[in-house]
Every structure is written in C-alpha cells, then in structure tokens.
Amino acid sequence: MRASEVSRAVAAARSIASSLGLTADDAIVLHDSNKLTLRLLPCDVVARVAPVAQQVAQFEVELAQRLVESSCPVAALDPRVEPRVHERDGFVVTLWTYYAPASSREISPADFAKALERLHAGMRELDFPAPHFMNRVEQAQRLVASRDLTPELADADRELLGDTLRSLGRVIGERGGAEQLLHGEPHPGNVLSTANGLLFIDLETCCRGPVEFDLAHAPEEVGEHYSGVSPDLLRECRTLVLAIIAAWRWELGDQLPDGRRLGAEWLDQIRALGFTAG
C-alpha cells in the first residue's frame, strides 16, 4: 500500500474495530502489499485493509465462511463480530482471528503437502463461483503486450514472456485434466504455522484449475509429498507461474519492494529452463 495511505488505513481499521466494541489502541503492521494486514491491540484481532477500488473482500469473506464450515485448514473470521465487509474513508476492512504462531514456525514439505491436500479436498466439495486460472494468464499477457503498462520491460524480455505465457497456456489447456477450486497462491507467505496446525490465508486469489497450478506456488519439495500429481503438468505450471509473476513485477506502479530485481531474476530462471523468445 502506498505510504501516504497507510496512516489512513490504520485509522480506518481502528475506528471500525472500536465501533464494534473491540478496543484497538494500537496497531502492528503484519504485512504490507496491495492490502495492509494489521494486528489490532489489545483486542487481538487481525484487520485486512484495502482501498475500495482494489478489493474483493466480499468474495473472500463468503469463501472463508464456507471453508471453515467444511473444516478446511484456513484462518477464520473473528467470531466476536458479524462476518461482513466494513467500509470507511475509502477503505474496506475485514476482521479475522489472530493465531499465535507455533513454537517452531518451520514448515516441513510433508506437512505443507498434507495441509494443501486437506484444503483441496474440502474445496472439491464446494460449489462456489471463482475465476479460471487462465484469466490470470490473460491478464499477464495484456501487461506484456502493452508498453504503456510495462514501459521498463526490455523488448527481448517482453517477447520471452509473451511466448512463454502463450505457449504454456495453450499446452496446459490442451491437457484437459481435472480442475477444481484452488487457493490460487498457496506460497509460504500465505501459510500460518499455528498451535492449531497449518492454516492458509489470503483467499482473494482463489480460482479454478488443476491442483498442479496451486503446487507451482509452493516450494518444489512439497510436490514430492502430494499424491497423484502429474510431474509434467507441475513443471509446466511452475514455469507458467514464473512468467505470470515476472510480468506483474514490470507493471507500472508495482509496489512490491525490490520488484524489478525479482522480475529480472524470474526472467533468468525462465531462460534457464530452456524457454527462449521466438
């Protein structure tokens, strides 16, 4: 979130919590990206805050409720207040349960895979509308195709990303494998190691696709412990995800710290995997 917005976002979250009877004298920033994640004290609630124009909070709230009801390993909304989206001063705010971290935060690949399999099993039982993962591919293609949106992307890199997104999107689509509801971005930053076990957060990225697309966001060792995975499809999804997130890092106005350096590193990884433009 832009630095100029952070103080207003914190004030909005504290104000909403106070209006609901939760004492929020202080706020600790837990994560700052496209939305701000805060721990409000002393009420000990997690507030997720986003500008109104950039949020899909209602989608996330409804899905979280359904997944918790199905005993899926996901973080729950705070039970002390009504599970809904709040709006104030141009921001939307949702309030979640705070989970104390486990004594050891290190997550083994086997435990990560087991938790993700549990999440996927629960998601398979849900009839919940979500975008297809190819929508993300198409959005990345639009970024790469527009010099106005990605002005600092070199021509050779633009061609490489465009070719990778196009060819792998087609190959994966033609496989015609089983698809289901997915987390969308189950990387380690979206997994909490808690006394309640591993819990997935940040459900706004949920989409439909093959489970290999989710596994492509996790450390490589996780895929080795997940049953029934197609190694070829997982390899293709890993490269596709690299191309997608590399495209994001070159978008004008991208706010990820050190984003350009990461974008360049991911381009090098794509080349190392044997993908070349043309």
Side-chain angles (χ1 to χ4, degrees), residues 206-226:
C206 282
C207 58
R208 300 194 70 83
V211 295
E212 287 83 356
F213 184 77
D214 258 3
L215 280 165
H217 293 79
E220 284 195 31
E221 297 83 359
V222 174
E224 299 170 7
H225 295 272
Y226 192 109

Side-chain angles (χ1 to χ4, degrees), residues 170-191:
R170 182 182 65 251
V171 168
I172 293 170
E174 289 174 352
R175 283 189 176 275
E179 296 186 347
Q180 65 159 81
L181 188 64
L182 304 173
H183 180 283
E185 289 185 16
H187 54 71
N190 281 334
V191 185

Side-chain angles (χ1 to χ4, degrees), residues 2 37 45 81 88 162 194 265:
R2 299 184 187 283
T37 303
V45 64
V81 296
R88 188 155 304 179
T194 78
E265 284 186 6

Side-chain angles (χ1 to χ4, degrees), residues 3 8 11 17 70 76-77 79 95 98 114 132 152 171 179 190 204 274:
R8 289 178 44 240
S70 299
L77 291 143
L95 301 175
Y98 173 76
K114 183 178 179 181
H132 195 267
E152 296 180 40
V171 168
E179 296 186 347
N190 281 334
E204 65 176 10

